[in-house]
């Protein structure tokens, strides 16, 4: 029997940001098809990958979610999904995302992030699916010329790694695609630094191998999995010498995608939005908040700066509030509290 349900396709939906986004979309009443190659997600022992199995338990079995283990480099596999299901919109999260790894493996990053996206766009075009929310990144701004960063800030200049260049390249592709036909609705969501976890403690960030980001690494120090946190540089021109970033709760970020989908349904054309809090916190600010949340000291040592790091980077998120009706509401302590709940209840991640 034909399935006449309209679905939102979420690529990379079994990952950290993906699982939280799928949860919020299901809560909002959307039916979801998830595509993920599980390269950075836990398979689990169920028909769904473990993060999505837990999402289904949180939202209830009446919410409709279908999962396919398909790589975006497998164009035929993608086509088969579009043949089977009536896809209405796509939330494109699937990408390689570790800055350091991208320097070591540039071809992998360009292949997955650019070629994978081109495959997706070609299949969307073939099946006349013209609504896309793309997971971009604040890295496209390069070294900030002014702060806070708004969407008019120049992009593509001074990009220091293949990860950032891959996100910038995809943005250019999407702008060219829109300019060529004008019948697409495309929203570029420029993420700042997502941390935290769902307040249930059931889903959260479970990096494969050593975490590449500050908070998951510090949390693993707090639970005794790692000896100490390395703080890269304390001689930046910031209030305590350590790098300042805009951290956003992953649930607020997920809700930004719900708002973006609703905007796509208005036939909005091409739009660009920052998803951040507008507040900059230093590495040591975050460490203090983490220590308060977990009730223990997080051992750290100061080491030299990392190549490519900038002193400060934080957003002006006012356009998203004005046009999407979206705003981050969870503060740094809430981010750390929720991340700690996840980490302490799942010390080995989804294998716990």
């Amino acid at each position: 029997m034909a399935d006449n349900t309209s679905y939102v396709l979420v690529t990379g939906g079994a990952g950290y940001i993906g699982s939280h986004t799928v949860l919020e979309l299901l809560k909002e009443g959307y039916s979801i098809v998830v595509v993920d190659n599980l390269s950075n997600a836990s398979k689990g022992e169920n028909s769904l990958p473990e993060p999505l199995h837990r999402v289904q338990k949180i939202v209830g079995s009446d919410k409709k979610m279908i999962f396919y283990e398909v790589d975006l480099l497998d164009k035929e596999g993608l086509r088969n999904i579009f043949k089977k299901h009536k896809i209405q919109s796509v939330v494109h999260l699937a990408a390689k995302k570790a800055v350091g790894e991208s320097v070591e493996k540039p071809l992998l990053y360009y292949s997955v992030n650019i070629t994978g996206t081109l495959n997706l766009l070609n299949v969307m075009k073939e099946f006349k699916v013209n609504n896309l929310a793309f997971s971009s990144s604040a890295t496209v701004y390069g070294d900030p010329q002014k702060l806070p960063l708004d969407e008019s800030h120049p992009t593509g200049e001074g990009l220091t790694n293949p990860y950032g260049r891959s996100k910038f390249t995809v943005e250019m592709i999407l702008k060219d695609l829109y300019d060529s036909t004008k019948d697409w609705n495309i929203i570029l969501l420029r993420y700042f630094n997502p941390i935290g976890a769902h307040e249930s403690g059931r889903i959260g960030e479970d990096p494969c191998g050593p975490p590449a980001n500050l908070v998951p690494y510090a949390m693993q120090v707090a639970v005794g999995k790692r000896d100490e946190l390395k703080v890269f540089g304390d001689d930046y021109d910031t209030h305590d010498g350590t790098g300042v970033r805009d951290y956003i709760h992953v649930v607020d970020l997920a809700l930004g995608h719900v708002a973006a989908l609703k905007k796509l349904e208005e036939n909005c054309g091409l739009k660009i939005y920052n998803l951040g809090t507008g507040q900059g916190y230093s590495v040591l600010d975050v460490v203090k908040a983490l220590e308060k949340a977990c009730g223990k000291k997080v051992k750290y040592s100061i080491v030299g700066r990392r190549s490519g790091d900038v002193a400060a980077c934080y957003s002006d998120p006012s356009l998203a509030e004005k046009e999407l009706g979206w705003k981050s509401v969870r503060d740094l302590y809430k981010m750390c509290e929720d991340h700690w709940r996840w980490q302490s209840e799942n010390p080995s991640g989804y294998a716990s």
Side-chain angles (χ1 to χ4, degrees):
M1 198 169 90
D3 182 356
N4 291 318
T5 307
S6 290
Y7 289 91
V8 175
L9 176 73
V10 182
T11 72
Y16 171 46
I17 296 168
S19 56
H20 288 82
T21 298
V22 167
L23 189 154
E24 296 303 330
L25 290 171
L26 288 169
K27 277 171 61 179
E28 195 64 27
Y30 291 99
S31 298
I32 306 295
V33 173
V34 175
V35 172
D36 201 301
N37 68 0
L38 301 184
S39 64
N40 197 32
S42 302
K43 291 195 176 184
E45 298 171 2
N46 308 286
S47 56
L48 292 171
E50 185 60 22
L52 296 180
H53 175 66
R54 295 188 184 192
V55 165
Q56 192 82 73
K57 283 193 157 181
I58 292 167
V59 298
S61 57
D62 59 318
K63 303 291 187 182
K64 192 159 186 178
M65 171 169 47
I66 300 167
F67 172 72
Y68 292 96
E69 185 177 348
V70 170
D71 195 302
L72 294 192
L73 297 177
D74 174 9
K75 193 173 178 183
E76 209 47 45
L78 265 181
R79 289 185 77 252
N80 287 335
I81 294 166
F82 278 74
K83 277 181 193 170
K84 277 185 196 169
H85 304 289
K86 187 177 161 191
I87 306 296
Q88 173 184 309
S89 305
V90 176
V91 177
H92 180 28
L93 305 168
K96 303 291 286 180
K97 64 184 179 84
V99 168
E101 184 186 48
S102 78
V103 175
E104 295 162 14
K105 301 176 180 176
L107 293 181
L108 174 65
Y109 272 66
Y110 290 131
S111 177
V112 171
N113 294 6
I114 298 174
T115 307
T117 301
L118 287 171
N119 283 347
L120 176 66
L121 292 171
N122 278 308
V123 173
M124 287 176 69
K125 184 181 176 190
E126 179 184 346
F127 287 87
K128 297 181 171 56
V129 179
N130 295 345
N131 297 315
L132 176 71
F134 172 61
S135 156
S136 191
S137 165
T139 58
V140 301
Y141 292 120
D143 198 344
Q145 297 173 15
K146 57 172 186 169
L147 289 170
L149 290 159
D150 64 21
E151 292 82 355
S152 67
H153 186 285
T155 57
E157 296 174 21
L159 300 182
T160 56
N161 58 75
Y163 167 70
R165 289 188 198 105
S166 73
K167 288 293 187 183
F168 173 71
T169 301
V170 172
E171 283 201 4
M172 292 301 98
I173 290 167
L174 291 172
K175 287 174 182 175
D176 288 343
L177 175 63
Y178 177 74
D179 287 342
S180 71
T181 67
K182 297 289 196 291
D183 59 357
W184 284 70
N185 299 299
I186 297 170
I187 296 181
L188 310 179
L189 297 173
R190 292 176 179 159
Y191 301 174
F192 280 72
N193 296 68
I195 60 173
H198 190 260
E199 63 183 6
S200 66
R202 299 290 294 144
I203 62 170
E205 187 166 14
D206 184 17
C208 296
N213 298 320
L214 167 63
V215 171
Y217 201 102
M219 286 298 186
Q220 290 191 4
V221 173
V223 293
K225 280 185 78 173
R226 305 202 177 270
D227 293 335
E228 68 171 15
L229 173 72
K230 287 184 169 51
V231 176
F232 297 101
D234 65 348
D235 56 351
Y236 287 106
D237 184 15
T238 62
H239 66 272
D240 62 16
T242 64
V244 166
R245 298 290 181 271
D246 187 337
Y247 295 92
I248 176 171
H249 197 297
V250 68
V251 174
D252 281 332
L253 185 68
L255 289 167
H257 295 78
V258 176
L261 268 186
K262 291 182 174 173
K263 189 73 175 175
L264 288 171
E265 289 160 10
E266 298 172 9
N267 294 320
C268 62
L270 176 71
K271 298 285 186 180
I272 302 169
Y273 300 108
N274 286 333
L275 294 185
T277 65
Q279 173 75 50
Y281 293 104
S282 75
V283 174
L284 295 184
D285 289 336
V286 174
V287 169
K288 284 175 194 160
L290 289 172
E291 289 178 337
K292 184 180 172 191
C294 67
K296 57 177 80 174
K297 286 287 178 189
V298 174
K299 188 181 177 190
Y300 68 87
S301 63
I302 307 290
V303 297
R305 293 185 183 191
R306 261 188 320 204
S307 171
D309 277 351
V310 299
C313 177
Y314 53 92
S315 69
D316 174 352
S318 57
L319 187 63
E321 183 176 3
K322 180 182 170 190
E323 295 192 5
L324 296 180
W326 170 90
K327 164 175 201 184
S328 67
V329 296
R330 293 159 180 83
D331 64 13
L332 181 62
Y333 180 71
K334 175 67 171 164
M335 298 177 212
C336 294
E337 180 185 48
D338 288 344
H339 209 120
W340 173 245
R341 185 182 300 109
W342 154 256
Q343 187 70 62
S344 57
E345 292 179 8
N346 304 269
S348 300
Y350 286 108
S352 299

